[in-house]
Coordinates of all heavy atoms in Angstrom, one line a residue:
I29 N -55.4 56.1 54.9 CA -54.5 55.0 55.3 C -53.1 55.5 55.4 O -52.7 56.1 54.3 CB -54.6 53.9 54.2 CG1 -56.1 53.4 54.3 CG2 -53.7 52.8 54.4 CD1 -56.4 52.3 53.1
Q30 N -52.4 55.3 56.4 CA -50.9 55.6 56.4 C -50.1 54.8 55.6 O -50.3 53.6 55.7 CB -50.5 55.7 57.8 CG -51.2 56.6 58.8 CD -51.1 58.0 58.3 OE1 -49.9 58.5 58.0 NE2 -52.2 58.9 58.4
P31 N -49.2 55.3 54.9 CA -48.3 54.5 54.1 C -47.3 53.6 54.9 O -47.0 54.0 56.1 CB -47.5 55.5 53.2 CG -47.4 56.7 54.0 CD -48.9 56.7 54.7
F32 N -46.9 52.6 54.5 CA -45.9 51.7 55.1 C -44.6 52.2 54.7 O -44.1 52.1 53.5 CB -46.1 50.2 54.7 CG -45.2 49.3 55.6 CD1 -45.8 48.8 56.9 CD2 -44.1 48.8 55.1 CE1 -44.9 47.9 57.5 CE2 -43.3 48.0 55.8 CZ -43.8 47.5 57.0
L33 N -43.8 52.7 55.7 CA -42.6 53.4 55.3 C -41.4 52.5 55.6 O -41.2 51.9 56.7 CB -42.5 54.7 56.2 CG -43.5 55.7 56.0 CD1 -43.3 56.9 57.0 CD2 -43.6 56.2 54.6
I34 N -40.5 52.3 54.5 CA -39.4 51.5 54.7 C -38.1 52.4 54.5 O -38.0 53.2 53.6 CB -39.4 50.5 53.5 CG1 -40.5 49.5 53.7 CG2 -38.0 49.7 53.5 CD1 -40.6 48.6 52.5
A35 N -37.2 52.2 55.3 CA -36.0 52.9 55.4 C -34.8 52.0 55.0 O -34.7 50.9 55.3 CB -35.6 53.5 56.8
G36 N -34.1 52.4 53.9 CA -33.0 51.6 53.4 C -31.8 52.2 54.1 O -31.6 53.3 54.3
V37 N -30.9 51.2 54.5 CA -29.8 51.6 55.5 C -28.5 51.0 54.9 O -28.4 49.8 54.6 CB -30.0 51.2 56.9 CG1 -28.9 51.8 57.8 CG2 -31.4 51.7 57.4
D38 N -27.5 51.8 54.9 CA -26.1 51.2 54.3 C -25.0 52.1 55.0 O -25.3 53.3 55.4 CB -26.1 51.3 52.8 CG -25.0 50.3 52.3 OD1 -24.4 49.6 53.1 OD2 -24.8 50.3 51.1
E39 N -23.8 51.5 54.8 CA -22.8 52.3 55.4 C -21.5 52.2 54.4 O -21.5 51.3 53.5 CB -22.2 51.6 56.8 CG -22.0 50.2 56.9 CD -20.8 49.7 56.1 OE1 -19.7 50.5 56.0 OE2 -20.8 48.5 55.5
V40 N -20.6 53.1 54.5 CA -19.4 53.1 53.6 C -18.2 53.4 54.6 O -18.3 54.2 55.6 CB -19.5 54.1 52.5 CG1 -20.6 53.8 51.5 CG2 -19.6 55.5 53.0
G41 N -17.1 52.8 54.2 CA -15.8 53.2 54.9 C -15.4 52.1 55.8 O -14.7 52.4 56.9
R42 N -15.7 50.9 55.7 CA -15.2 49.8 56.7 C -13.7 49.6 56.4 O -13.0 49.3 57.3 CB -16.0 48.5 56.6 CG -17.3 48.6 57.2 CD -17.8 47.1 57.5 NE -19.3 47.0 57.7 CZ -19.9 46.0 58.2 NH1 -19.2 44.9 58.2 NH2 -21.2 46.0 58.6
G43 N -13.4 49.6 55.1 CA -12.0 49.2 54.6 C -10.9 50.2 54.8 O -9.7 49.9 55.0
P44 N -11.2 51.5 54.8 CA -10.1 52.4 54.8 C -9.3 52.4 56.1 O -9.7 51.9 57.1 CB -10.9 53.8 54.7 CG -12.1 53.5 54.0 CD -12.6 52.1 54.5
L45 N -8.1 53.0 56.0 CA -7.1 53.1 57.1 C -7.3 54.4 57.9 O -6.8 54.6 58.9 CB -5.8 52.9 56.6 CG -5.3 51.9 55.8 CD1 -3.9 52.0 55.3 CD2 -5.6 50.5 56.5
A46 N -8.2 55.3 57.3 CA -8.3 56.6 57.9 C -9.7 57.0 57.8 O -10.5 56.7 56.8 CB -7.3 57.6 57.3
G47 N -10.1 57.9 58.6 CA -11.5 58.5 58.5 C -12.5 57.8 59.2 O -12.3 56.7 59.5
P48 N -13.7 58.4 59.3 CA -14.9 57.7 60.1 C -15.5 56.7 59.2 O -15.2 56.7 57.9 CB -15.8 58.9 60.3 CG -15.5 59.8 59.3 CD -14.0 59.8 59.0
V49 N -16.4 55.8 59.8 CA -17.3 55.0 59.0 C -18.6 55.8 58.9 O -19.1 56.4 59.9 CB -17.4 53.7 59.5 CG1 -17.9 53.7 60.9 CG2 -18.3 52.8 58.6
V50 N -19.2 55.8 57.7 CA -20.4 56.8 57.6 C -21.5 55.9 57.1 O -21.3 55.0 56.2 CB -20.0 57.9 56.5 CG1 -21.3 58.7 56.2 CG2 -19.0 58.8 57.0
A51 N -22.6 56.1 57.7 CA -23.9 55.5 57.3 C -25.0 56.4 56.9 O -25.0 57.5 57.3 CB -24.3 54.6 58.5
A52 N -25.9 55.9 56.3 CA -27.1 56.7 55.8 C -28.4 55.9 55.9 O -28.4 54.6 55.7 CB -27.0 57.3 54.4
A53 N -29.5 56.6 56.2 CA -30.8 55.9 56.1 C -31.8 56.8 55.3 O -31.6 58.0 55.5 CB -31.4 55.8 57.6
V54 N -32.4 56.2 54.4 CA -33.3 56.9 53.5 C -34.6 56.3 53.3 O -34.8 55.1 53.2 CB -32.6 56.9 52.0 CG1 -33.5 57.6 51.0 CG2 -31.2 57.6 52.0
I55 N -35.7 57.1 53.4 CA -36.9 56.7 53.1 C -37.4 57.3 51.9 O -37.6 58.7 51.8 CB -38.0 57.1 54.2 CG1 -37.7 56.5 55.6 CG2 -39.4 56.7 53.9 CD1 -38.4 57.0 56.7
L56 N -37.6 56.7 50.8 CA -37.9 57.2 49.5 C -39.4 57.5 49.3 O -40.2 56.9 50.1 CB -37.5 56.3 48.4 CG -36.0 56.0 48.1 CD1 -35.8 55.0 47.1 CD2 -35.4 57.3 47.8
D57 N -39.8 58.4 48.5 CA -41.0 58.9 48.3 C -41.6 58.2 47.1 O -41.1 58.3 45.9 CB -41.2 60.4 48.0 CG -42.6 60.8 48.0 OD1 -43.5 59.9 47.8 OD2 -42.8 62.1 48.0
P58 N -42.4 57.1 47.1 CA -43.1 56.4 46.0 C -43.7 57.4 44.9 O -43.7 56.9 43.8 CB -44.1 55.5 46.6 CG -44.3 56.1 47.9 CD -43.2 56.8 48.5
E59 N -44.0 58.6 45.4 CA -44.6 59.5 44.3 C -43.6 60.3 43.6 O -43.9 60.9 42.6 CB -45.5 60.5 45.0 CG -46.7 59.8 46.0 CD -47.7 59.1 45.1 OE1 -47.9 59.7 43.9 OE2 -48.1 58.1 45.4
K60 N -42.3 60.1 44.0 CA -41.2 60.8 43.4 C -40.1 59.9 43.0 O -39.0 59.9 43.7 CB -40.7 62.0 44.1 CG -41.8 63.0 44.5 CD -41.2 64.1 45.4 CE -42.3 65.2 45.7 NZ -41.9 66.3 46.7
P61 N -40.4 58.9 42.1 CA -39.3 57.9 41.8 C -37.9 58.6 41.2 O -38.0 59.7 40.6 CB -39.8 57.1 40.7 CG -41.0 57.9 40.2 CD -41.5 58.9 41.2
I62 N -36.9 58.0 41.6 CA -35.5 58.4 41.1 C -35.0 57.3 40.2 O -34.7 56.3 40.6 CB -34.6 58.7 42.3 CG1 -35.3 59.7 43.3 CG2 -33.3 59.1 41.9 CD1 -34.5 59.9 44.5
D63 N -34.7 57.8 39.0 CA -34.1 56.8 38.0 C -32.5 56.6 38.3 O -31.9 57.7 38.6 CB -34.2 57.4 36.6 CG -35.7 57.4 36.1 OD1 -36.5 56.5 36.6 OD2 -36.1 58.1 35.3
G64 N -32.1 55.5 38.0 CA -30.6 55.2 38.1 C -30.0 54.8 39.4 O -28.8 54.8 39.6
L65 N -30.9 54.5 40.4 CA -30.4 54.1 41.7 C -29.8 52.8 41.6 O -30.4 51.8 41.3 CB -31.6 54.2 42.7 CG -32.1 55.5 43.1 CD1 -33.2 55.4 44.0 CD2 -31.0 56.4 43.9
L66 N -28.5 52.8 42.0 CA -27.7 51.4 42.0 C -26.8 51.5 43.3 O -26.6 52.6 43.9 CB -26.9 51.3 40.8 CG -27.6 51.0 39.4 CD1 -26.6 51.2 38.2 CD2 -28.3 49.7 39.4
D67 N -26.2 50.4 43.6 CA -25.0 50.3 44.5 C -24.1 51.4 44.2 O -23.6 51.5 43.0 CB -24.5 48.9 44.5 CG -23.2 48.9 45.3 OD1 -22.9 49.8 46.2 OD2 -22.5 47.8 45.2
S68 N -23.7 52.2 45.2 CA -22.7 53.4 44.9 C -21.5 52.8 44.3 O -20.9 53.7 43.4 CB -22.4 54.1 46.2 OG -21.8 53.3 47.2
K69 N -21.0 51.7 44.5 CA -19.7 51.2 43.9 C -19.8 50.9 42.4 O -18.9 50.8 41.7 CB -19.4 49.9 44.7 CG -19.0 50.1 46.1 CD -18.5 48.8 46.8 CE -19.5 47.8 46.9 NZ -20.6 48.2 47.9

């Protein structure tokens, strides 16, 4: 059975006066949990 893959997507940098806006997409591995994941802010 193929796993159902979910990508989380977010961007940073809408508010600055300079530089690009940067986005990321991440598909986490349920077999390798990461402790401490929170909103970057």
Side-chain angles (χ1 to χ4, degrees):
I29 299 175
Q30 296 298 319
F32 189 84
L33 299 178
I34 296 175
V37 186
D38 201 1
E39 53 72 31
V40 296
R42 284 197 190 189
L45 305 177
V49 58
V50 175
V54 177
I55 302 176
L56 292 175
D57 186 346
E59 301 297 322
K60 298 177 181 178
I62 300 172
D63 291 332
L65 291 175
L66 294 169
D67 171 14
S68 63
K69 296 184 291 295

